Amino acid sequence: MKSKIRKKSGRPKLAVLGAGSWGTTLALLLDGKGYTVSLWEYFEDLARDFRKHRENRRFLPGIRVPATIAVTSDIDEAIEGTTQIIFVTPSHTVRKVARMVRASACYNNGCVIINASKGLEEKTLCRMSEVLQSELSQPEGKIV
């Protein structure tokens, strides 16, 4: 079952891609600031468990996640209508997830891409911002 993303009036919708401890924490902080947040989890079974318990039991057990944060494993649902996409996936998956975003019919290449993933790409030694630029072809200043 997909989660319904409820946009908070007047606030931009942000997608946080990566539901580990860092991604979940960023989603909580942004939700607390009044943004409409979708949190994307790669694995459907983990996303389902997250929605059912409103808790990231794998990475942040005991921390309640409000229903205002939509948790989904559907990349289209996560990024639809976003003004900003925040990458918080492990560095070895950034390129793959960027390709998924680029292939999505919901991708708006005018949105700001925010990199919160750490590290370098293993084979190329590229910074994550370089990987995102090469995959998403954003205009200058749209990847931060």
Side-chain angles (χ1 to χ4, degrees), residues 15 17 75-76 79 82-89 93-117 121 127-144:
L17 306 183
I75 198 79
D76 293 326
I79 68 171
T82 57
T83 59
Q84 299 168 33
I85 300 173
I86 305 167
F87 279 77
V88 198
T89 61
T93 66
V94 167
R95 188 175 298 277
K96 177 182 178 180
V97 175
R99 287 177 178 166
M100 292 169 64
V101 167
R102 186 184 66 215
S104 171
C106 298
Y107 175 53
N108 166 11
N109 70 351
C111 68
V112 175
I113 303 297
I114 300 167
N115 173 46
S117 295
E121 188 175 46
R127 296 184 317 272
M128 295 300 98
S129 58
E130 292 172 316
V131 172
L132 292 169
Q133 180 61 48
S134 72
E135 292 300 332
L136 299 175
S137 302
Q138 288 286 54
E140 185 71 31
K142 289 289 189 174
I143 295 180
V144 295

Side-chain angles (χ1 to χ4, degrees), residues 69-83:
I69 296 176
V71 180
T72 183
S73 63
D74 182 323
I75 198 79
D76 293 326
E77 182 181 0
I79 68 171
E80 183 178 20
T82 57
T83 59

